[in-house]
């Protein structure tokens, strides 16, 4: 036999023997198993995010584990044939223990677990296989009811609005108006979702309160930037709020009252063990109660109503319907200011659960959101602003916006790679009449249809690096197709829980913008419209780099730097004189800064120290710039550009007593200074009598936003105690806002050159009664 032929046969035999030798290993690899399911609260059906799921060998040693995501979904893959012990644990819940066998049958097992709440201490020795017990995505902050309760709030419980203002990158212009600015972005650039539905104006006219009180919130994710491809249509931030579901087995309720607010909350089963209902109503009381305070009447009012019905099946799936309404009305300038009014209405439904096919999780959401916004003079005798006239133009401004949305979101695994993808349909209806507030944008109606989708994957590289590439696509009848690539990366260099370096880079576009007159910080009126001018969409590029470092079990440090490039940002045109009417121009710009947070979380003491540095700068070209300054464009810092912000938050918990302190320090916000004064003499009708009629006095304005208001600082404090009784609990709280600084400025009125201060020292007492049946 020739040597080459002999070598060929020998090679074939060698390969055959090699494959036979590897056959058991290949068979074992092919027969590796996967287990997945949902972890939920047995009483309400709410998903238990970050619950630990661990597989143990029969001798008790840890084999593999993971944590559940925001939907309560977990998956453990590459499981070898055998028998194991499954443990599911979550703080405040009874640990679930069961045996599971992977011996034959389908390679993908489905097992959902419902945990029962418990007051007993849990086994803290159970850890996850990867060490990832917290979601540490770039720009993200997780919010629970525990965090809300720590912030002094003049009511019977905490609120997301009060909590967000304690974060380093969040700026509030004052304690009324409901305006929050996140890392240099404006309020209309923030996306706020409630159970998957957009709410246009979620923060109440009294700045401590929102549509999301502590009683209603299950959990929330706040993204100050760098958010994933699932969120499309906003350029600054995302607040994704999940509202709680009612108890399916027992009725309970609460009622609270304070000088600021009255609230009633009720939950219980519709069909015991299967469905539940949650009812809530709130009404502000400050307008009436303020008459008894030395500072005088506070013309601020709001109320809200909430209804949610939920149905759960035995596999952990859930369907719910939601109805929410909010109403706000008041004057930000108590002496001469216009009145503002807005309403929100949300109606929708949502279903989520495990799929029978290869798709692990489905989430379908359909909803309708509506907002109405009105501004005009206040008729104090009737309490109506509909027939009033504006103090400057003699007219009323109005804007209405509605959104119908259908979203389908799916999750699927391909071995260790996770895919999250979905499609959406949106129909926006807009109409506004802003009565020469902006010359080039007075009144219009628009209906905008958009269809799109997104896909994002989670790709692990070893045990330390996860990469999240994604892309969002949006097609509309009103603007060009948009493709927005995004990338997030997380790295645990030592594989230590909560120690992580993360980064994000992405493109974000916004086709609809809430126009407001940013020359006047005392305005709460927003007109929703397509981005005006030739620009099809407003655009921002986010770049984030963050580091989170634990020091022991109780102390955590977080540092995150960010940079944003802005394009096609609508701004009010600068004018030489203070006047109501103006035009809209387009600006480009950039924002950069750093947020630092140090938290100590002990059994008795919780303390957080936050510092935020931010630099926001716009550049715009306007005709008057050449006349007055000899240059076609000007760069300036907008009215919300707070350079430095410090926040200290402390809570002491001694059994039935809790003490909360919150202190904030903020550098002064920009405003446009007066350059001088003159008299306007008109020649249109006839020659004026200059000696007898010198004309109309006017204020001549300097370069835009060249001045800075004084430093802002305030201390809020509260003390509360629980009194238990059979079937319930009574909470008594004493507190005060703005305890020592009575001259915190709210804003500077460019029309009258008047200073308007924030709320003065305001002591309060609240009572909250909780009843369980």
């Amino acid at each position: 036999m020739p040597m080459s032929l002999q070598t060929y046969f020998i090679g074939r035999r060698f390969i055959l023997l090699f494959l036979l030798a590897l056959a058991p290993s290949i068979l074992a690899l092919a027969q590796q198993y996967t287990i997945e399911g949902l972890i939920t609260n047995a009483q309400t059906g709410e998903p238990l995010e970050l619950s630990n799921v661990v597989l143990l060998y029969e001798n008790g040693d840890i084999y593999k584990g993971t944590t559940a995501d925001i939907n309560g979904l977990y998956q453990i893959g590459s499981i070898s044939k055998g028998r194991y012990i499954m443990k599911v644990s979550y703080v405040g819940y009874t640990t679930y223990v069961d045996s599971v066998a992977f011996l034959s049958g389908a390679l993908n097992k489905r097992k959902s677990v419902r945990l029962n709440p418990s007051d007993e201490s849990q086994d803290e020795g159970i850890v996850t296989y990867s060490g990832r017990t917290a979601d540490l995505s770039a720009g993200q902050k997780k919010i629970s009811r525990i965090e809300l309760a720590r912030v002094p709030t003049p009511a019977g419980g905490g609120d997301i609005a009060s909590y967000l203002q304690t974060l380093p990158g969040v700026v509030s212009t004052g304690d009324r108006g409901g305006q929050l600015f996140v890392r240099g972005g404006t309020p209309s650039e923030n996306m706020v979702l409630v159970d998957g539905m957009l709410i246009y104006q979620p923060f109440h006219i009294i700045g401590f309160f929102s549509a999301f009180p502590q009683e209603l919130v299950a959990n929330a994710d706040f993204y100050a930037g760098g958010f994933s491809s699932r969120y499309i249509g906003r350029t600054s931030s995302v607040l994704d709020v999940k509202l709680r579901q009612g108890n399916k087995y027992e009725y309970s309720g609460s009622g609270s009252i304070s000088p600021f607010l009255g609230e009633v909350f009720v939950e219980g089963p519709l069909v015991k063990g299967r469905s539940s209902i949650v009812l809530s109503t709130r009404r502000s009381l400050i307008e009436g109660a303020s008459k008894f305070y030395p500072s005088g009447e506070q013309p601020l009012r709001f109320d809200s109503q909430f209804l949610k019905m939920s149905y759960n099946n035995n596999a952990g799936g859930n369907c719910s319907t939601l109805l929410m309404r909010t109403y706000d009305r008041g004057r930000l300038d108590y002496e001469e200011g216009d009145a503002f009014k807005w309403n929100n209405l949300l109606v929708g439904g949502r279903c989520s659960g495990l799929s029978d096919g290869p798709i692990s999780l489905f989430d379908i959401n359909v909803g309708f959101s509506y907002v109405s916004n009105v501004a005009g003079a206040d008729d104090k005798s009737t309490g109506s602003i509909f027939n009033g006239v504006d103090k400057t133009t003699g007219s009323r401004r109005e804007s209405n916006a509605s959104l119908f949305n259908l979203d389908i979101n799916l999750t699927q695994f391909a071995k260790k790679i996770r895919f999250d993808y979905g499609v959406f349909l949106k129909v926006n209806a807009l109409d506004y009449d802003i009565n020469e507030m902006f010359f080039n944008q007075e009144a219009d109606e628009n209906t905008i249809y958009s269809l799109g989708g997104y896909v994002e994957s989670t790709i692990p590289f070893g045990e330390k690096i996860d990469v999240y590439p994604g892309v969002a696509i949006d097609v509309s009848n009103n603007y060009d197709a948009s493709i927005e690539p995004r990338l997030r990366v997380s790295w645990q260099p030592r594989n230590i829980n909560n120690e992580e370096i993360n980064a994000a880079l992405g493109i974000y576009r916004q086709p609809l913008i809430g126009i407001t007159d940013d020359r006047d910080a005392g305005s709460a009126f927003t007109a929703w419209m397509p981005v005006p001018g030739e620009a099809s969409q407003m655009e921002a590029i986010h770049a984030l780099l963050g580091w989170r470092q634990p020091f022991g079990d109780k102390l955590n440090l977080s540092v995150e730097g960010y940079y944003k490039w802005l394009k096609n940002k609508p701004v009010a045109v600068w004018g030489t004189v203070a006047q109501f009417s103006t035009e809209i121009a387009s600006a480009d710009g950039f924002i950069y800064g750093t947020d630092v947070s140090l938290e100590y979380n002990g059994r008795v003491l919780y303390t957080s120290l936050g510092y935020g540095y931010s630099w926001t700068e716009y550049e715009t070209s306007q005709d008057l710039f050449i006349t007055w300054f000899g240059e076609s464009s000007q760069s300036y810092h907008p009215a919300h550009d707070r350079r430095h912000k410090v926040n200290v938050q402390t809570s002491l918990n001694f059994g039935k007593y809790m003490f909360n302190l919150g202190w904030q320090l903020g550098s002064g916000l920009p405003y446009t200074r007066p350059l001088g004064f003159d008299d306007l003499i008109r020649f249109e009708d006839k020659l004026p009598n200059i000696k007898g009629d010198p004309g109309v006095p006017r204020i001549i304005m300097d370069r835009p936003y060249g001045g800075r208001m004084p430093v802002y600082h305030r201390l809020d404090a509260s003390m509360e105690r629980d009194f238990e009784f059979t079937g319930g609990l009574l909470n008594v709280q004493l507190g005060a806002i703005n305890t020592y600084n009575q001259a915190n400025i709210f804003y500077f009125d460019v029309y009258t050159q008047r200073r308007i201060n924030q709320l003065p020292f305001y002591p309060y007492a609240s009572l909250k009664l909780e009843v369980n049946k």
Side-chain angles (χ1 to χ4, degrees):
M1 180 180 297
M3 180 62 68
S4 58
L5 189 58
Q6 183 180 8
T7 304
Y8 169 75
F9 281 110
I10 292 174
R12 287 188 60 181
R13 292 192 186 100
F14 177 79
I15 293 173
L16 181 60
L17 290 173
F18 180 74
L19 292 174
L20 289 173
L22 287 180
S25 299
I26 295 174
L27 186 61
L29 182 63
Q31 291 182 343
Q32 286 190 324
Y33 295 85
T34 296
I35 186 171
E36 63 186 18
L38 297 174
I39 311 300
T40 56
N41 183 323
Q43 291 187 355
T44 66
E46 293 170 356
L48 296 179
E49 182 185 8
L50 302 181
S51 52
N52 286 332
V53 184
V54 182
L55 292 181
L56 308 173
Y57 292 109
E58 292 184 323
N59 63 3
D61 293 339
I62 294 177
Y63 171 50
K64 288 189 174 185
T66 189
T67 55
D69 69 3
I70 190 172
N71 299 302
L73 176 67
Y74 77 93
Q75 190 199 59
I76 302 176
S78 303
I79 302 172
S80 300
K81 186 176 181 180
R83 298 180 183 274
Y84 303 93
I85 298 172
M86 181 180 181
K87 269 192 175 182
V88 182
S89 62
Y90 190 75
V91 176
Y93 289 77
T94 302
T95 299
Y96 173 89
V97 181
D98 195 9
S99 60
V100 290
F102 302 91
L103 301 175
S104 60
L107 298 180
N108 188 25
K109 281 184 176 291
R110 295 280 173 83
K111 188 175 182 65
S112 295
V113 176
R114 295 179 293 173
L115 298 182
N116 289 297
S118 173
D119 295 330
E120 299 178 3
S121 60
Q122 300 299 303
D123 182 6
E124 298 180 357
I126 297 178
V127 297
T128 63
Y129 178 70
S130 66
R132 297 178 183 271
T133 58
D135 190 338
L136 301 175
S137 298
Q140 184 180 13
K141 177 69 175 180
K142 288 196 167 294
I143 305 171
S144 69
R145 287 198 291 267
I146 296 175
E147 281 83 8
L148 303 185
R150 291 176 177 145
V151 181
T153 305
D159 194 284
I160 277 186
S162 294
Y163 174 80
L164 289 178
Q165 294 175 54
T166 70
L167 300 180
V170 179
V171 170
S172 172
T173 56
D175 49 22
R176 50 194 183 271
Q179 307 284 352
L180 293 182
F181 303 81
V182 181
R183 289 185 176 177
T186 58
S188 66
E189 297 168 42
N190 303 325
M191 174 182 286
V192 181
L193 301 173
V194 47
D195 280 0
M197 289 185 292
L198 178 73
I199 179 170
Y200 284 92
Q201 211 156 337
F203 302 108
H204 287 303
I205 196 166
I206 305 175
F208 307 107
F209 305 107
S210 71
F212 316 116
Q214 177 185 338
E215 289 284 359
L216 292 183
V217 176
N219 57 67
D221 284 317
F222 176 64
Y223 301 87
F227 39 93
S228 74
S229 300
R230 178 169 182 169
Y231 304 106
I232 185 171
R234 293 293 186 271
T235 56
S236 182
S237 72
V238 171
L239 176 63
D240 192 350
V241 182
K242 305 292 191 305
L243 299 182
R244 64 180 296 185
Q245 301 178 38
N247 195 310
K248 298 181 295 181
Y249 297 94
E250 297 178 350
Y251 290 98
S252 64
S254 65
S256 65
I257 189 170
S258 78
F260 281 79
L261 183 69
E263 180 178 5
V264 176
F265 171 86
V266 178
E267 66 171 326
L270 288 173
V271 177
K272 194 169 184 178
R274 301 299 297 272
S275 59
S276 64
I277 187 170
V278 173
L279 292 165
S280 173
T281 182
R282 309 169 84 200
R283 183 178 179 85
S284 64
L285 304 175
I286 184 66
E287 191 169 39
S290 62
K291 299 175 182 178
F292 302 99
Y293 284 81
S295 57
E297 184 179 354
Q298 309 293 331
L300 304 167
R301 182 191 306 172
F302 73 84
D303 62 73
S304 63
Q305 297 80 39
F306 173 80
L307 166 67
K308 183 174 181 179
M309 294 183 290
S310 305
Y311 169 81
N312 306 106
N313 61 33
N314 294 328
N318 171 266
C319 286
S320 62
T321 57
L322 179 146
L323 172 65
M324 175 182 284
R325 174 194 171 272
T326 73
Y327 170 85
D328 287 80
R329 180 190 175 279
R331 289 183 286 123
L332 306 188
D333 179 352
Y334 303 150
E335 298 177 2
E336 301 182 11
D338 296 335
F340 302 93
K341 186 187 79 165
W342 62 86
N343 298 274
N344 288 288
L345 176 65
L346 281 78
V347 182
R350 186 174 192 174
C351 282
S352 63
L354 294 175
S355 171
D356 293 331
I359 296 173
S360 297
L361 182 74
F362 70 89
D363 178 36
I364 302 174
N365 178 63
V366 59
F368 174 79
S369 303
Y370 172 79
V371 67
S372 173
N373 205 317
V374 181
D378 191 8
D379 185 345
K380 297 179 181 179
S381 62
T382 64
S384 172
I385 66 175
F386 292 106
N387 299 319
V389 293
D390 182 84
K391 67 178 181 182
T392 309
T393 66
S395 58
R396 166 175 162 262
R397 291 153 281 155
E398 183 173 2
S399 171
N400 303 295
S402 63
L403 169 67
F404 169 81
N405 71 283
L406 172 63
D407 304 305
I408 302 175
N409 304 292
L410 305 171
T411 300
Q412 189 171 347
F413 292 89
K415 294 190 179 296
K416 292 186 177 181
I417 300 177
R418 170 174 170 153
F419 292 93
D420 292 278
Y421 56 97
V423 295
F424 63 82
L425 170 66
K426 297 179 181 179
V427 181
N428 288 274
L430 313 169
D431 69 87
Y432 54 90
D433 185 353
I434 52 181
N435 256 309
E436 298 181 357
M437 176 180 173
F438 296 102
F439 292 140
N440 53 348
Q441 207 78 31
E442 295 183 15
D444 203 353
E445 295 182 3
N446 303 90
T447 300
I448 302 171
Y449 306 88
S450 58
L451 179 67
Y454 73 95
V455 61
E456 183 175 60
S457 59
T458 304
I459 306 174
F461 289 87
E463 299 293 337
K464 299 181 179 180
I465 298 177
D466 283 343
V467 179
Y468 309 88
V471 64
I473 302 174
D474 186 14
V475 180
S476 171
N477 66 323
N478 196 65
Y479 48 87
D480 295 335
S482 174
I483 300 177
E484 303 173 25
R486 301 172 189 177
L487 176 67
R488 297 179 296 138
V489 180
S490 63
W491 174 37
Q492 288 187 319
R494 298 185 295 174
N495 208 23
I496 296 177
N497 182 37
N498 289 336
E499 179 187 71
E500 187 163 1
I501 296 173
N502 48 57
L505 180 65
I507 297 176
Y508 301 83
R509 295 192 179 96
Q510 183 167 338
L512 306 179
I513 189 70
I515 295 292
T516 187
D517 190 353
D518 53 13
R519 303 171 305 162
D520 181 12
S523 176
F525 176 76
T526 301
W528 286 93
M529 63 183 70
V531 174
E534 299 179 356
S536 59
Q537 296 195 65
M538 188 169 64
E539 181 176 294
I541 299 176
H542 292 199
L544 285 74
L545 179 62
W547 168 51
R548 308 192 188 195
Q549 180 65 53
F551 298 95
D553 296 332
K554 298 181 175 61
L555 189 64
N556 289 277
L557 173 67
S558 172
V559 181
E560 187 166 85
Y562 57 90
Y563 202 108
K564 300 180 187 178
W565 294 265
L566 308 178
K567 185 178 179 181
N568 302 329
K569 166 71 179 175
V571 295
V573 168
W574 175 87
T576 57
V577 295
Q579 59 183 0
F580 175 76
S581 297
T582 184
E583 296 183 49
I584 297 175
S586 181
D588 296 335
F590 59 89
I591 304 167
Y592 64 83
T594 303
D595 290 347
V596 181
S597 179
L598 183 65
E599 287 185 305
Y600 176 83
N601 195 354
R603 278 184 171 271
V604 175
L605 173 66
Y606 170 84
T607 298
S608 70
L609 172 63
Y611 169 71
Y613 174 84
S614 179
W615 179 287
T616 303
E617 185 172 311
Y618 294 165
E619 182 176 359
T620 180
S621 297
Q622 300 174 17
D623 294 338
L624 279 176
F625 290 157
I626 299 177
T627 304
W628 281 77
F629 309 123
E631 302 172 344
S632 62
S633 65
Q634 287 284 306
S635 297
Y636 64 91
H637 303 292
H640 57 275
D641 177 49
R642 174 156 281 159
R643 186 74 68 246
H644 305 278
K645 179 185 176 184
V646 178
N647 186 86
V648 180
Q649 193 70 37
T650 298
S651 292
L652 286 169
N653 196 340
F654 295 106
K656 297 179 181 180
Y657 290 90
M658 177 176 284
F659 302 87
N660 295 319
L661 291 174
W663 182 73
Q664 293 184 31
L665 171 68
S667 58
L669 295 171
Y671 75 101
T672 301
R673 294 178 297 193
L675 182 63
F677 303 88
D678 75 350
D679 294 311
L680 176 64
I681 301 175
R682 296 186 178 277
F683 291 84
E684 289 90 343
D685 300 328
K686 61 182 180 178
L687 289 176
N689 180 4
I690 298 177
K691 292 183 178 181
D693 184 9
V696 179
R698 298 189 307 179
I699 300 172
I700 306 301
M701 307 306 297
D702 203 346
R703 292 175 184 264
Y705 302 104
R708 288 274 175 177
M709 290 191 289
V711 171
Y712 160 82
H713 53 101
R714 63 182 287 166
L715 174 68
D716 301 336
S718 68
M719 177 187 70
E720 57 186 278
R721 188 192 190 283
D722 291 337
F723 297 90
E724 297 182 0
F725 60 90
T726 303
L729 180 146
L730 176 65
N731 176 273
V732 179
Q733 180 181 173
L734 301 176
I737 62 171
N738 207 3
T739 57
Y740 68 92
N741 183 14
Q742 306 308 303
N744 273 321
I745 189 170
F746 178 27
Y747 77 98
F748 186 77
D749 191 334
V750 297
Y751 301 111
T752 62
Q753 298 293 294
R754 293 170 51 248
R755 168 181 172 144
I756 292 90
N757 284 338
Q758 302 202 34
L759 290 176
F761 170 68
Y762 244 81
Y764 64 89
S766 73
L767 297 176
K768 182 178 180 180
L769 179 64
E770 300 180 18
V771 180
N772 299 312
K773 183 177 179 180

